[in-house]
Amino acid sequence: MSFLRPGPITINPYRRTVFRIAMMPREVVDRAAIVGYLAEARDIAGLAPDSNRILGEPVTLEEINDAESVLLKAGERIGHELLAHATERLNLDRVRQLETDVSTAIAQCAAADLTARRRALTPILLDFMRTYLDREAASQPWIGALEMDLAPPFGGAERE
Amino acid sequence: MNAVTASSPVPDMAGLANRLRRESLIALHALRDGHERAKAWELLQERDEDGTARGPLPYTAAALEAWQKLRAAHPGDPSIVHHLAIAHHALAWDLELGDEPEEAAGEWETALACWQELAGERHFWSGLERTLGRCEAGADLDVIDRLRSNLIEEMLQVHVDFIRYHCELNRPERAAAHVGIVRRAAVKPALRKKLIHLVFEAMTASVAQAQAQNDYASGLVGVERFLGTFPDQMYLPALKMHAELCRDSVAHLSFRTQWDEIDSVSRRAEPVVDQLLEALKTERDPSAVHAMEELAFEMALRGMERVQSLQPRQNEEPKDSTLIEYIDAHEFPIAWGRKCAPASRTGARIRGLLAAALHSCAWALRTRSVNLYNNPNVGAMPGAGMVQAIQLCRQAVTKVEEAVQWEPDNTEIARSLAKFRAELVQIDILPNR
């Protein structure tokens, strides 16, 4: 059966994808993890079916079984990935690298007891931070507020 | 972090500041782009009553708008096209099944365009190959190639299924909308031919049931809708099916009490048979030829039955008006014979029936000719009857000559031809009475 037509034409395949039925992100590929998600979905379907509804209809054990037969076969699963959005997360690698570089630079300044030079550097970095923060909303929960907190001295009390 | 001692060289602060400024700008840009994508992702989330994200929906209006802005900013990014393909396709599906399905048209087309663009994006499919490899080490990557090469066919099959769905619910306008999508799709000829066949099957799925119930009219409606949708295709299976349905329809009609219906089916069948005959010139399908022969025979047979019912009594001198009606009735079977006999196979029944119809008509013309010959002053002018008698005799000869072409071994027709030719010679040279 086609990944695009797992059922009658009156069922929108994008609504009841195997990932949604299993309540599993599309990016999960580890077999043990997949089995775990399916087990949890089965528990919910059995004990609290109202907790996992799609368009008002609870996900059934039969649907979970069908999803399992797809998710555990890589060749079948891959077609179903076309129906599911890829997760989008902020890539903070560059920011973290920047943080590391700045921390290293500050440490070098501190080790060389070059307070005056550090004082010259700090405004540049503070200006960058202000520019960034001014353009973004104050609270960004989806990127993880904790991940955006920088270690002192920038997040701390030291200011010019 | 590296340990730095008092004896370490003093870092170049100006250089370091420049490098940090440069790196921070790069990081800021990367963060901003990713931030927009992450924001669009969040706009997709289905949330609990307490706001907890449960997972992404296929689309929301806000997310769709966000993805469209990202697409404009990053036109070459296939991952954004994928998000849009899912969103537009899912939205189209919901609209199609909703209260205003006509709103789905634009979304279907946009989704198909997205999927077609994605089918050509090598990086997107390379990404799926990597995912497949992570799911199963050593997995056969041909499955990705097949997925990619069959993608557009899969997408268009959805429309074929909707065509069938709407035909079953007797919603021809919705079926036509999906037929239009299939017609406009930019696909290779081989796939187009396959799709036309699938659409044909979808639109004529109810014909077999209609035939079983002798409801030929509704069966013909389905076939004619298909033929109207692809008028330039001359799709032989559809033309053949139309001929078969018309034949079956007429076979159940009485010439005596339902001649108007027979005539109506005949008018309905004629233009389609013309297309069938044209199509058979390039694709000689024996089953289609047989369908054409059988239809023509059934029509001509009904016509001849009516002719025989109008035949003047043997021992009475028929009125001229009766003869005229009798002669005119031959035109129906002769017309069907002339239309189809040339394309029929040797020995086909329609050939013999055409010959019989022509022969019968010739005798009727000859009878009228004799009557007029014996009453030459029946017309407005003296001797007009004689002139008309000669003309009718010539027509009789012409008809029998044509009959001989279709049944050259028929001795009765041959005798008639000799007789009529001799009579024509006689009356043509005899002085007016």
Side-chain angles (χ1 to χ4, degrees):
Chain A
M1 192 173 283
S2 162
F3 67 92
L4 200 52
R5 286 292 316 282
I9 197 72
T10 48
I11 293 180
N12 188 334
Y14 293 95
R15 290 276 179 194
R16 297 184 98 84
T17 67
V18 293
F19 303 98
R20 176 62 186 86
I21 286 167
M23 297 191 295
M24 184 186 93
R26 197 187 103 167
E27 287 69 27
V28 174
V29 296
D30 178 70
R31 190 181 179 89
I34 294 172
V35 171
Y37 276 103
L38 287 165
E40 189 174 339
R42 283 199 176 92
D43 287 343
I44 291 172
L47 299 171
D50 287 348
S51 300
N52 187 13
R53 287 174 169 267
I54 303 174
L55 286 181
E57 293 295 318
V59 171
T60 63
L61 285 171
E62 188 182 353
E63 283 182 299
I64 296 169
N65 290 341
D66 290 341
E68 180 181 47
S69 66
V70 169
L71 288 169
L72 295 181
K73 291 179 194 162
E76 282 196 43
R77 171 227 170 102
I78 204 68
H80 288 256
E81 294 228 359
L82 291 175
L83 302 180
H85 287 286
T87 303
E88 297 283 351
R89 294 202 193 286
L90 273 180
N91 186 350
L92 298 174
D93 293 348
R94 278 198 175 274
V95 175
R96 293 197 180 98
Q97 182 61 48
L98 178 61
E99 182 187 13
T100 302
D101 289 348
V102 167
S103 300
T104 303
I106 294 301
Q108 286 177 333
C109 291
D113 192 26
L114 295 172
T115 305
R117 288 196 168 92
R118 184 175 65 176
R119 284 192 180 136
L121 178 62
T122 302
I124 297 171
L125 296 167
L126 282 176
D127 179 58
F128 153 66
M129 290 304 301
R130 277 193 212 102
T131 303
Y132 174 74
L133 289 172
D134 282 346
R135 289 186 184 178
E136 304 298 340
S139 172
Q140 315 289 343
W142 55 79
I143 60 173
L146 290 177
E147 292 168 308
M148 274 306 294
D149 283 348
L150 296 177
F154 301 108
E158 185 172 271
R159 287 176 180 273
E160 278 299 315
Chain B
M1 193 185 304
N2 296 331
V4 180
T5 64
S7 61
S8 298
V10 174
D12 172 14
M13 296 310 296
L16 181 62
N18 285 334
R19 188 173 73 82
L20 288 175
R21 187 191 297 272
R22 189 173 59 246
E23 288 295 320
S24 67
L25 283 172
I26 293 172
L28 179 64
H29 282 305
L31 195 63
R32 187 170 298 146
D33 288 346
H35 167 64
E36 291 301 319
R37 296 177 72 119
K39 209 159 63 170
W41 169 257
E42 286 300 310
L43 291 171
L44 275 176
Q45 299 304 303
E46 182 182 12
R47 296 190 181 274
D48 277 342
E49 287 160 354
D50 57 3
T52 307
R54 296 170 53 101
L57 293 165
Y59 67 89
T60 63
L64 199 51
E65 189 180 338
W67 287 120
Q68 283 163 346
K69 281 182 186 165
L70 277 163
R71 171 97 145 106
H74 305 279
D77 191 330
S79 63
I80 298 176
V81 177
H82 186 217
H83 285 298
L84 284 168
I86 291 171
H88 282 295
H89 216 199
L91 174 56
W93 214 300
D94 281 348
L95 289 170
E96 186 72 37
L97 297 174
D99 294 331
E100 293 178 333
E102 59 278 0
E103 299 291 319
E107 295 299 330
W108 284 122
E109 303 264 16
T110 303
L112 189 58
C114 287
W115 284 117
Q116 280 179 314
E117 184 177 341
L118 215 49
E121 285 287 351
R122 183 172 53 86
H123 293 300
F124 177 77
W125 298 96
S126 299
L128 279 182
E129 284 180 350
R130 288 192 291 276
T131 302
L132 182 61
R134 285 198 297 273
C135 291
E136 181 182 310
D140 180 10
L141 297 182
D142 284 349
V143 71
I144 302 292
D145 286 339
R146 285 195 296 275
L147 198 57
R148 182 181 185 182
S149 59
N150 294 335
L151 183 67
I152 299 309
E153 184 178 340
E154 291 277 357
M155 294 297 159
L156 291 171
Q157 178 70 51
V158 170
H159 297 288
V160 173
D161 291 338
F162 267 116
I163 290 167
R164 187 192 309 270
Y165 171 70
H166 288 302
C167 283
E168 286 171 1
L169 293 179
N170 199 22
R171 293 182 196 164
E173 67 288 344
R174 288 311 308 151
H178 288 276
V179 171
I181 293 171
V182 173
R183 279 179 62 94
R184 288 189 293 273
V187 295
K188 291 181 181 170
L191 179 56
R192 177 173 301 285
K193 193 175 175 182
K194 184 176 179 181
L195 287 168
I196 289 173
H197 178 71
L198 291 172
V199 170
F200 168 67
E201 286 189 334
M203 292 180 82
T204 58
S206 62
V207 168
Q209 187 180 5
Q211 273 180 308
Q213 294 170 349
N214 293 342
D215 183 8
Y216 303 103
S218 64
L220 281 169
V221 165
V223 180
E224 285 167 354
R225 272 186 194 146
F226 172 83
L227 289 169
T229 305
F230 294 97
D232 53 337
Q233 293 293 324
M234 288 203 294
Y235 190 62
L236 208 49
L239 298 170
K240 176 191 154 198
M241 182 180 276
H242 193 275
E244 288 169 343
L245 283 168
C246 287
R247 184 257 168 205
D248 290 345
S249 171
V250 166
H252 285 81
L253 296 173
S254 162
F255 76 89
R256 204 178 296 278
T257 57
Q258 294 171 301
W259 180 253
D260 287 346
E261 288 180 51
I262 292 173
D263 190 50
S264 172
V265 175
S266 170
R267 290 172 196 278
R268 203 169 180 174
E270 273 187 62
V272 180
V273 168
D274 288 340
Q275 288 186 57
L276 176 57
L277 291 167
E278 193 61 34
L280 285 173
K281 288 178 184 174
T282 51
E283 190 180 346
R284 192 80 180 163
D285 180 338
S287 64
V289 172
H290 179 75
M292 176 270 296
E293 289 169 352
E294 288 299 296
L295 170 62
F297 179 79
E298 198 66 44
M299 289 289 186
L301 185 63
R302 285 287 168 273
M304 284 307 293
E305 287 172 347
R306 180 166 170 264
V307 163
Q308 283 162 5
S309 72
L310 294 171
Q311 190 174 23
R313 292 178 190 279
Q314 286 281 348
N315 298 325
E316 295 173 5
E317 186 169 323
K319 291 183 195 171
D320 198 50
S321 58
T322 305
L323 273 174
I324 290 173
E325 186 185 9
Y326 177 59
I327 291 167
D328 287 348
H330 285 82
E331 282 313 305
F332 185 90
I334 288 172
W336 271 102
R338 283 175 173 164
K339 181 184 285 295
C340 296
S344 68
R345 293 165 291 188
T346 305
R349 296 191 295 173
I350 184 59
R351 294 188 174 200
L353 195 51
L354 173 58
L358 287 163
H359 191 206
S360 170
C361 187
W363 271 97
L365 287 164
R366 186 259 181 189
T367 302
R368 191 167 176 237
S369 171
V370 167
N371 285 0
L372 286 168
Y373 181 82
N374 291 330
N375 298 285
N377 296 318
V378 293
M381 292 181 62
M386 177 62 72
V387 172
Q388 209 171 356
I390 296 171
Q391 286 172 343
L392 288 167
C393 195
R394 285 188 183 134
Q395 288 174 25
V397 168
T398 303
K399 288 261 186 320
V400 179
E401 285 172 343
E402 190 181 341
V404 167
Q405 289 177 9
W406 295 111
E407 285 213 315
D409 298 330
N410 188 315
T411 54
E412 193 178 334
I413 294 176
R415 271 202 301 274
S416 298
L417 178 60
K419 179 181 173 65
F420 293 172
R421 276 177 173 163
E423 286 176 353
L424 179 60
V425 168
Q426 243 185 331
I427 65 173
D428 215 355
I429 62 173
L430 280 177
N432 290 347
R433 293 164 68 194

